[in-house]
Amino acid sequence: MVAVAHGSRDPRAAATVTALLDAVRALRPDVPVHAAFLDHAAPTPDRLLDGLARDGHGEAVVLPLLLTAAYHSKTDLPGVLNRVRSRHPRLRLRTAATLGPHPLLVRALERRLSDAGVEPGDPDTAVVLVSAGSSDASANATVARIAREWRPRGWRDVVPAYASATGPKPGEAVAALLEAGAPRVAVASYFLAPGYFTDKVRDEALAAGAAAVSPALGAAPELAHLIVHRHEEARATPRTATAV
């Protein structure tokens, strides 16, 4: 398994990926698990895959550690894999689906809200589900759909917000829910790892009156199980099919 994360200059991000993949290794000690990063950290996926090919490995499952399908999974990663295939035609590559959307991610979000002191499904709490935001409208629509589908689990309301690229911004969403009469607003951080965006979201949300902001999903057990699930899905998919 080659797990490919976005990458960040913030050292907390790589440390979080390491902890998450350690949890995956504990679940599947029979599967060699390698980490790669699209940007800001080493190794890059093409360099890692080049090394695996030189070492004589015949097959790899490339698994994007991305919470929604957007530019990185639709364009960047396929471009990398096409270049690797041209250099190493004997290396069989399968591409797993992005982590989200999936019900296990909602459970992980509720775990992290609980860590922040928010009881899952509290009818007096409205939730702002915050993602990084994307220039890909379908990725933003996916986050909005997760919010709609999460709402019936007992919350007063669940609305989406985005740290960049589109709106509403986290502070705007928090203020709107409070103005609409929500007794309490909590922010659910739909981020894999801590970094610039998580810090920015936390500061903006608290300044707007949020009662709690959950930490990044990190090495939540649900994410480790989801990675194993995506890996098994990819292994069961014909090699000519690529899931993103």
Side-chain angles (χ1 to χ4, degrees):
M1 180 195 303
V2 176
V4 182
H6 180 279
S8 171
R9 294 186 180 90
D10 191 317
R12 294 175 295 171
T16 298
V17 170
T18 296
L20 176 58
L21 296 184
D22 282 346
V24 172
R25 294 182 185 102
L27 292 172
R28 289 297 304 272
D30 57 314
V31 176
V33 178
H34 305 272
F37 302 89
L38 290 167
D39 204 358
H40 303 306
T44 59
D46 50 345
R47 181 163 295 185
L48 178 57
L49 290 165
D50 286 344
L52 292 177
R54 287 194 300 268
D55 291 342
H57 292 274
E59 183 174 0
V61 172
V62 179
L63 196 154
L65 296 181
L66 304 170
L67 299 179
T68 54
Y71 185 83
H72 289 304
S73 64
K74 295 177 180 178
T75 302
D76 282 351
L77 192 53
V80 168
L81 299 186
N82 286 337
R83 293 192 294 273
V84 171
R85 287 187 177 101
S86 69
R87 294 194 296 269
H88 308 287
R90 294 185 179 181
L91 179 62
R92 299 182 301 276
L93 296 176
R94 301 175 190 267
T95 308
T98 55
L99 297 181
H102 194 276
L104 283 170
L105 282 174
V106 173
R107 296 178 196 171
L109 287 165
E110 291 186 343
R111 175 186 292 274
R112 292 303 182 227
L113 282 169
S114 180
D115 292 342
V118 179
E119 181 181 352
D122 176 15
D124 289 329
T125 299
V127 175
V128 178
L129 175 65
V130 182
S131 75
S134 174
S135 58
D136 187 321
S138 65
N140 300 327
T142 295
V143 174
R145 187 177 79 245
I146 293 169
R148 287 195 304 271
E149 293 175 354
W150 194 13
R151 191 177 299 135
R153 289 173 65 88
W155 304 105
R156 180 184 179 94
D157 200 355
V158 182
V159 301
Y162 308 91
S164 67
T166 189
K169 297 297 184 282
E172 294 169 346
V174 169
L177 288 169
L178 290 171
E179 289 171 8
R184 185 184 196 213
V185 176
V187 171
S189 299
Y190 193 62
F191 299 96
L192 182 72
Y196 170 77
F197 276 144
T198 56
D199 293 346
K200 181 174 183 284
V201 165
R202 181 177 182 82
D203 291 345
E204 289 183 6
L206 292 177
V213 179
S214 69
L217 297 169
E222 295 83 0
L223 258 69
H225 283 280
L226 179 53
I227 290 169
V228 170
H229 172 67
R230 292 301 193 208
H231 176 262
E232 292 173 350
E233 275 185 337
R235 289 291 305 276
T237 301
R239 189 171 66 88
T240 55
T242 299
V244 292

